Amino acid sequence: MQSLNEVAYESILNDILKLKFLPGEKIQDKTLIDRLNISRTPVREAILRLKNDGLMMTVPQSGTYVTKISLSSALNARFVRQSVERSVVSEAAEKMSKINILDSRTIISKQQIAAEEHNAVDFFYLDNDFHKLFYTATDRLQVWDWLENLSLQLDRYRFLRIQQTNMPLDELIKQHGEILDAVEAHDPKTAEKRAFNHLNLMLAEKDELIEKFPDYFMNENQE
């Protein structure tokens, strides 16, 4: 059973990732206490953790704010994710079980339904589930957990993108199928190449989103 501290943290984190709390938005402790129906101490502990995650900050004599999205952090997270996942997928091509393959096919089918229903939230989480299964199948789940924490700014960007642009969901699903085909065929070189190219699309449309939502992003020099 989760502690109140963990409940508060997970709830606020999800609201930030899903843009229920917008980048740059001022957040009152009382708002969170009322929203979560949790006492002040767990909420403050959660805020402290989120500050350490780079998702909230305190401005002296002003208040607590949701940080803006850091594209430099997102770009670095994608670099690490590509570097690690190509190795994980290559390993999966040698040891992924038939049950894992079937589970992955099921996730792809669910993604197709989410795309048809224009359900961005479900599609986002199913996308994570698809990639996570490679780490599970290769006993690298701890690595996935490390990457999740590293990728918070990237995930904020991905949520904004999936909600605000016409993402080529069918193409993403097709690429998932192609990665899995290579894994099932025990072809590690092709699997890792397809995974690397697929993950390269994680920060697509960034210029369009910055132009549309300039106040959501930190003022950084980007590539």
Side-chain angles (χ1 to χ4, degrees):
M1 184 176 179
Q2 284 186 313
S3 67
L4 289 179
N5 288 3
E6 196 67 28
V7 169
Y9 172 78
E10 292 289 345
S11 179
I12 301 168
L13 172 63
N14 284 327
D15 283 345
I16 291 173
L17 292 178
K18 294 178 183 178
L19 303 172
K20 292 182 180 179
F21 291 136
L22 297 177
E25 182 177 346
K26 185 175 182 179
I27 305 293
Q28 302 281 358
D29 286 10
K30 187 176 187 306
T31 301
L32 298 175
I33 291 165
D34 293 343
R35 184 182 185 127
L36 300 173
N37 194 26
I38 291 177
S39 64
R40 183 177 302 274
T41 298
V43 167
R44 287 188 168 175
E45 288 291 331
I47 290 173
L48 182 60
R49 285 182 64 183
L50 290 161
K51 287 179 182 177
N52 291 334
D53 290 339
L55 296 178
M56 298 186 83
M57 65 178 184
T58 296
V59 178
Q61 299 180 330
S62 179
T64 300
Y65 294 81
V66 177
T67 59
K68 295 185 178 183
I69 298 170
S70 169
L71 264 183
S72 64
S73 291
L75 284 163
N76 284 327
R78 182 186 65 180
F79 172 79
V80 174
R81 176 82 179 269
Q82 283 181 303
S83 301
V84 172
E85 193 151 322
R86 67 194 302 177
S87 298
V88 170
V89 169
S90 176
E91 191 175 355
E94 298 174 354
K95 63 171 61 172
M96 200 164 179
S97 70
K98 291 182 179 180
I99 293 294
N100 291 146
I101 295 289
L102 180 59
D103 289 342
S104 297
R105 297 281 182 205
T106 300
I107 291 170
I108 291 174
S109 296
K110 289 179 179 179
Q111 278 194 298
Q112 189 65 57
I113 294 171
E116 291 168 359
E117 295 179 349
H118 306 288
N119 189 327
V121 173
D122 280 359
F123 191 93
F124 177 92
Y125 285 113
L126 287 165
D127 185 79
N128 279 356
D129 289 344
F130 176 80
H131 290 274
K132 181 179 180 179
L133 195 50
F134 292 118
Y135 294 78
T136 303
T138 54
D139 296 320
R140 305 289 184 190
L141 199 52
Q142 186 177 31
V143 177
W144 173 264
D145 292 339
W146 292 337
L147 289 174
E148 271 200 313
N149 187 259
L150 183 70
S151 301
L152 292 173
Q153 297 291 352
L154 178 58
D155 284 346
R156 296 174 76 192
Y157 174 87
R158 290 171 59 213
F159 238 111
L160 179 63
R161 179 190 174 207
I162 201 170
Q163 290 180 344
Q164 299 295 337
T165 66
N166 294 318
M167 284 181 64
L169 300 184
D170 287 343
E171 177 61 22
L172 296 177
I173 293 169
K174 177 174 175 285
Q175 290 182 358
H176 279 178
E178 290 172 344
I179 294 168
L180 194 59
D181 287 344
V183 169
E184 188 171 21
H186 307 295
D187 184 349
K189 292 296 183 184
T190 299
E192 68 175 69
K193 181 180 178 181
R194 288 175 178 176
F196 185 89
N197 292 338
H198 171 69
L199 293 172
N200 203 49
L201 298 177
M202 293 176 85
L203 282 166
E205 293 106 18
K206 64 182 174 65
D207 292 338
E208 174 187 338
L209 283 174
I210 292 171
E211 182 177 354
K212 189 174 181 180
F213 301 100
D215 293 338
Y216 284 10
F217 294 91
M218 293 182 185
N219 186 15
E220 302 169 307
N221 292 323
Q222 300 299 336
E223 297 175 2

